[in-house]
Amino acid sequence: MTYRLTDLPVGEGVRRRDELLALCAQAFCGAPWHEPPLSAVRTVDRLLDAAARKDGYTGVIALDPDDTLLGFAAGWNDTVLSGGALVFEVAELVVAPAHQGLGIGRSLHDALLVVGTPGPALLMTLDVPELTGRYARWGWTVVDRRRPGKEEREYAVMRRGR
């Protein structure tokens, strides 16, 4: 499959909000997430809010030759997952279900990790083998498990040196 990666600055994210919402709804409504469509709205609005105010925000999108959004990744410098140390947090990595397994997610992941605070990066994902296993193959290690907020499911905090 032919696709290209390009930056996702704040203005482009706002312009593509509806596409981002549709992509997140597709990705999160199915396995392993099984989230309601409202989760897509929360995810995209959190991303756009962070893009406007977080230090070191970086976003990358994958587009097909017709400029259709296939996936995106975003992150920023933060201290939340680390408990105080400034690290680069991979906040989102989403690929349309119909395009998963083609290397798009890995390309987005690698492009995103080129930027950000030097040193380790952290991410938090649902603690299921499908997700933690994928990140482990990409060099990540589980360093903590949490149930954020009122979540009933457990999440894995993962670390990767850069």
Side-chain angles (χ1 to χ4, degrees):
M1 153 157 252
T2 303
Y3 64 92
R4 66 184 168 86
L5 300 182
T6 188
D7 291 339
L8 179 64
V10 178
E12 182 70 4
V14 170
R15 188 179 77 74
R16 290 186 176 268
R17 182 177 186 271
D18 288 346
E19 291 174 86
L20 293 167
L21 286 170
L23 177 67
C24 286
Q26 290 173 36
F28 296 145
C29 286
W33 295 98
H34 302 289
E35 293 282 342
L38 183 58
S39 291
V41 175
R42 283 193 300 264
T43 297
V44 171
D45 287 348
R46 175 179 161 253
L47 169 71
L48 296 175
D49 177 59
R53 63 179 182 80
K54 291 275 190 178
D55 179 46
Y57 162 80
T58 300
V60 182
I61 55 176
L63 302 168
D64 74 6
D66 295 325
D67 209 35
T68 300
L69 182 66
L70 304 175
F72 73 94
W76 44 76
N77 300 327
D78 210 339
T79 59
V80 174
L81 290 180
S82 69
L86 187 64
V87 297
F88 186 74
E89 177 187 338
V90 175
E92 298 297 338
L93 175 59
V94 182
V95 176
H99 300 287
Q100 292 176 1
L102 303 173
I104 296 169
R106 179 65 191 258
S107 294
L108 288 164
H109 167 271
D110 292 352
L112 188 66
L113 287 179
V114 169
V115 299
T117 300
L122 294 175
L123 65 79
M124 187 165 64
T125 190
L126 193 59
D127 193 7
V128 296
E130 176 182 344
L131 298 173
T132 56
R134 178 178 307 130
Y135 285 115
R137 287 189 303 276
W138 295 352
W140 294 82
T141 304
V142 174
V143 294
D144 192 14
R145 288 188 163 78
R146 300 179 185 174
R147 283 205 169 105
K150 297 178 182 179
E151 272 293 331
E152 294 178 11
R153 300 179 294 181
E154 193 163 64
Y155 285 73
V157 176
M158 301 184 78
R159 180 184 188 276
R160 183 176 192 259
R162 296 186 292 153

